[in-house]
Amino acid sequence: SSSSSSSRTAKAMAAPSAGAALEPFEFELDDLTPETVEIEVRYCGVCASDKHLIDGDWGELAQFPHVAGHEIIGKVTEVGSSVKDLAVGDCVGVGWWKESCGSCLCCLNGDEQICRSSVATCTGKSRGGFANRFRGHQSGVFKIPETLDPVTAAPLLCGGATVYTPLADYTEPCDRVGVIGIGGLGHMAIQFANKRGCEVTAFSTSPSKEDEAKDLGAHHFINSKKEGAFDGLKESLDLILVTVSANLDWAQYLTLLRPRGTLAFVGAVTKPAELPIFGALVMNMLKVVGSATGGRKRVQEMLEFAALHKIGAMVEKVPFAKVNDALDKVRNNEARYRMVLDMADA
């Protein structure tokens, strides 16, 4: 199969402690079981979640030295004896989770990402994709359609799945969708919503992003900092997708929803929200929901949808050796819109 069988050592860049610069680190890969797939990592996206883990923002979720990375694209170099759908040489991807039990109600419902026994790709003891090699369970490995560019597809594995899932769950073609935030998640949400056949309104505090938002597929652009920005928008949207982590005036956004509309959170908003329950939720039968990445069905569907409609992230590709520079861009909100590591020199 490959040289991997003779050695189990992976070469990575790891954070020795919370907030520290990443430095070279070697570790032993997990055992190759009958259901394991080994991947030679070609590209790995740098997600805001990686920054949070490395910087210790999420506490116990990161164990140091920490190898982050959960938007992995690579080539299969070895498969366990009972792996059926993947073969050596396949181009594959791995996202936020790398294994689920396959038998609980969450898994049977296609919600593997919230399976109570699921294993995340780069939290706890798991070593992620900021490494030249990766081993994971076949349940978390996805075949990448041939027509997708592997570089712009890397962020689809986490960010793309994160915005596609609520669009698939809560919208139909011709629905009116609002996307709050044109960043790492929002710029992909606009593309997916447009190609799904929805009328898309982008909300941003950066008026300079208007042309780009419209190029990506937004039909309307709202500068949410502008006085009277929401005039005329009352009850105009079926779904509002919140891709930012800032704490906004959610009650005001609820007024923009049509009856039975949905306010969906995918951004890491950490402050509790105060919402008008009776006056808004009850009287207009509104839904307020959260959504986390995607299960197997949704991720596979999302990749095929992206291939069909030529959807990809806007990326800046950097050599693996410059991973600390890439992380700084994410920290300083300078990524436009996703950083992707090229592992050719790993």
Side-chain angles (χ1 to χ4, degrees):
S1 45
S2 80
S3 60
S4 55
S5 48
S6 58
S7 144
R8 287 178 49 182
T9 307
K11 293 178 177 169
M13 292 288 279
S17 58
L22 272 54
E23 52 189 47
F25 175 72
E26 293 193 351
F27 65 92
E28 296 298 294
L29 292 162
D30 294 338
D31 290 335
L32 197 66
T33 73
E35 297 185 344
T36 302
V37 177
E38 178 168 329
I39 300 163
E40 174 192 314
V41 182
R42 291 263 174 93
Y43 302 102
C44 189
V46 182
C47 178
S49 304
D50 294 314
K51 176 212 89 77
H52 288 303
L53 289 165
I54 288 164
D55 290 350
D57 299 341
W58 290 353
E60 299 295 302
L61 276 182
Q63 293 181 17
F64 296 91
H66 183 73
V67 179
H70 58 272
E71 295 177 340
I72 299 167
I73 298 264
K75 191 178 76 169
V76 175
T77 53
E78 201 163 349
V79 294
S81 56
S82 62
V83 175
K84 292 186 185 66
D85 301 327
L86 299 165
V88 170
D90 283 350
C91 180
V92 295
V94 178
W96 175 254
W97 56 277
K98 67 172 183 177
E99 182 173 354
S100 64
C101 78
S103 56
C104 70
L105 278 177
C106 289
C107 288
L108 295 175
N109 269 331
D111 291 326
E112 288 90 347
Q113 77 276 33
I114 51 173
C115 162
R116 290 310 178 233
S117 316
S118 71
V119 182
T121 301
C122 66
T123 67
K125 292 189 170 69
S126 298
R127 310 277 194 200
F130 290 2
N132 64 340
R133 294 161 68 184
F134 178 84
R135 278 182 184 175
H137 188 265
Q138 63 177 346
S139 64
V141 179
F142 297 89
K143 211 177 273 196
I144 302 297
E146 279 172 26
T147 53
L148 276 183
D149 172 353
V151 182
T152 61
L156 294 177
L157 272 312
C158 175
T162 295
V163 296
Y164 179 85
T165 299
L167 286 168
D169 286 349
Y170 303 111
T171 70
E172 291 175 4
C174 296
D175 274 359
R176 303 177 197 173
V177 174
V179 176
I180 302 180
I182 305 166
L185 291 171
H187 90 283
M188 288 189 272
I190 290 169
Q191 296 178 71
F192 277 112
N194 174 295
K195 296 298 185 193
R196 192 169 165 75
C198 297
E199 185 178 335
V200 186
T201 301
F203 293 84
S204 176
T205 55
S206 311
S208 60
K209 290 183 180 174
E210 177 166 2
D211 290 346
E212 201 159 64
K214 289 187 170 169
D215 288 346
L216 288 165
H219 301 91
H220 316 286
F221 179 90
I222 305 295
N223 170 5
S224 47
K225 278 209 292 218
K226 202 170 162 189
E227 191 69 36
F230 294 177
D231 293 355
L233 295 180
K234 190 172 188 286
E235 296 192 6
S236 66
L237 301 168
D238 297 288
L239 171 75
I240 297 175
L241 192 58
V242 182
T243 71
V244 296
S245 54
N247 191 39
L248 305 178
D249 182 352
W250 306 122
Q252 186 180 28
Y253 279 100
L254 287 179
T255 67
L256 309 188
L257 287 173
R258 299 164 92 179
R260 284 194 182 273
T262 304
L263 178 65
F265 289 89
V266 294
V269 181
T270 50
K271 286 212 168 71
E274 213 168 279
L275 299 171
I277 308 289
F278 183 66
L281 300 192
V282 174
M283 297 306 277
N284 293 331
M285 298 183 74
L286 305 178
K287 294 187 285 293
V288 178
V289 301
S291 186
T293 63
R296 261 197 90 71
K297 174 176 180 279
R298 286 285 185 236
V299 174
Q300 200 64 62
E301 196 180 276
M302 176 274 304
L303 289 168
E304 285 162 23
F305 188 93
L308 179 66
H309 294 290
K310 299 182 171 46
I311 293 171
M314 288 173 63
V315 305
E316 187 180 334
K317 187 172 75 167
V318 295
F320 187 39
K322 295 229 161 97
V323 60
N324 286 307
D325 296 346
L327 276 164
D328 280 339
K329 279 203 158 180
V330 174
R331 284 187 184 102
N332 301 328
N333 206 18
E334 291 167 357
R336 289 292 177 270
Y337 284 94
R338 307 289 283 208
M339 307 302 294
V340 173
L341 304 173
D342 183 343
M343 311 301 284
D345 63 346

